[in-house]
Amino acid sequence: MRPCFIFLVVFATLLLPGEAVAQDVTPGPSPGAALTFEDQVDAGGGRTLHLACAGTGGPPVLLEWGGPNDDGATSVIADLGPDLAAALGTRFCVYDRAGTGQSAPDPVGVRTVREAAADLRAVLASPQLGCPCVVVGASLGGAISLAALEADATGFGGLVLLDALYPGFVDDIGALAPAGAPETVQQMHLMSGDNAERLDMVSGFRQATSPTAPPMIPVYVVTHGAGNAPPCQGDVCSTDYPVEDLEAAWQAGQVSLDDALGGRLVVAEGTGHAIADENPGLAVELTAEVIAAVRDPGSWATPTASPTG
């Protein structure tokens, strides 16, 4: 089971109607818990992206999952979407990225994060979704969300970044690698398009920059509080790779990203890179807070103590 799917399973379990977290969500339009729909979003050039949603109400929540992956995310909506939508009091949606699930591959072949972000913007602009939306971006999905936000913030009502891959991340990996270390070959090979989604993340991340001005939407930037930064989580990096230095660069990158976004930084204490899987309660809580802030901007303007996980 993929990490994103684990998150959705636990997310649904934690947010069954009547639970305390669900009661903390500002009431919105009554969701149609049984209402699930699927549609194709026009991505341009005759290509479409498969979108699936459950429930009704706004602002819709769109999950941009991690990866790269060879499977789509929309298949889980039929089973879990109604519970999530009912608990959050709004529509909950996911889509299959290009070449995964029921979404057509991009004929360009190898793509960059910027091109993946253009697809996200097409989804956010689609009449089927009805944005502005609260986007939840995890890991690679956070980087795609950032690139989309930089290009056009119109579809964003709020943003929750769960250990997003920050601008400059890929160069930090290479700069810290000792000569001949496998990270300079194996990891960069994987990130250069030799993956299921055909994403050239090396080029894509080098294109990305932090926004020049805060987007003026509620934003949570959540960083892991335990373990190592990717790609060294799970102790998979070589023994001579300076994982402590990469971790320091990661945390500094998250602080800089939070400053650029004008957001609220949360350290998920005791939680590794897969924040949504390891600490789903925190992910749920922060998403609910952003939903409430979109509905009532005054609630975000009032200083509050941020959760620490």
Side-chain angles (χ1 to χ4, degrees):
M1 184 179 289
R2 284 210 321 278
C4 173
F5 286 2
I6 297 172
F7 162 55
L8 289 172
V9 171
V10 182
F11 197 2
T13 301
L14 290 175
L15 282 181
L16 290 174
E19 293 295 325
V21 174
Q23 292 173 354
D24 290 339
V25 179
T26 301
S30 177
L35 176 61
T36 299
F37 81 87
E38 299 180 71
D39 206 348
Q40 296 294 323
V41 172
D42 182 8
R47 185 168 55 87
T48 61
L49 300 165
H50 184 233
L51 172 71
C53 299
T56 61
V61 173
L62 179 68
L63 174 65
E64 183 70 67
W65 75 100
N69 289 305
D70 56 359
D71 298 322
T74 57
S75 61
V76 303
I77 283 289
D79 293 331
L80 303 177
D83 284 338
L84 294 169
L88 291 174
T90 193
R91 177 176 292 174
F92 183 86
C93 303
V94 295
Y95 75 101
D96 297 332
R97 288 203 289 257
T100 72
Q102 299 182 55
S103 288
D106 191 336
V108 72
V110 175
R111 315 172 79 225
T112 68
V113 171
R114 182 176 292 174
E115 288 162 329
D119 282 355
L120 172 56
R121 287 163 46 212
V123 174
L124 293 175
S126 67
Q128 300 99 313
L129 195 52
C131 291
C133 294
V134 172
V135 177
V136 179
S139 190
L140 170 62
I144 294 172
S145 301
L146 284 169
L149 180 71
E150 178 189 1
D152 184 0
T154 303
F156 289 80
L159 179 63
V160 179
L161 295 175
L162 302 176
D163 234 22
L165 308 185
Y166 61 89
F169 161 71
V170 69
D171 287 324
D172 285 345
I173 296 175
L176 292 169
E183 286 76 18
T184 61
V185 179
Q186 295 174 1
Q187 296 293 347
M188 294 301 170
H189 181 59
L190 175 65
M191 296 177 73
S192 296
D194 185 18
N195 55 70
E197 292 189 43
R198 305 295 291 147
L199 280 174
D200 181 350
M201 294 184 285
V202 173
S203 297
F205 290 140
R206 286 173 176 159
Q207 295 168 349
T209 59
S210 297
T212 56
M216 306 305 292
I217 59 173
V219 177
Y220 266 122
V221 175
V222 191
T223 183
H224 66 265
N228 298 323
C232 296
Q233 72 272 28
D235 299 321
V236 298
C237 282
S238 56
T239 55
D240 60 345
Y241 191 85
V243 293
E244 297 86 357
D245 293 341
L246 182 61
E247 176 65 18
W250 179 276
Q251 296 299 339
Q254 297 297 315
V255 171
S256 296
L257 181 57
D258 179 67
D259 289 343
L261 291 168
R264 295 180 179 178
L265 181 67
V266 173
V267 178
E269 300 293 349
T271 304
H273 178 63
I275 292 173
D277 302 335
E278 298 178 35
N279 197 343
L282 180 63
V284 167
E285 181 181 358
L286 300 183
T287 301
E289 285 191 20
V290 172
I291 291 170
V294 174
R295 291 172 177 163
D296 178 12
S299 68
W300 189 260
T302 302
T304 59
S306 297
T308 60

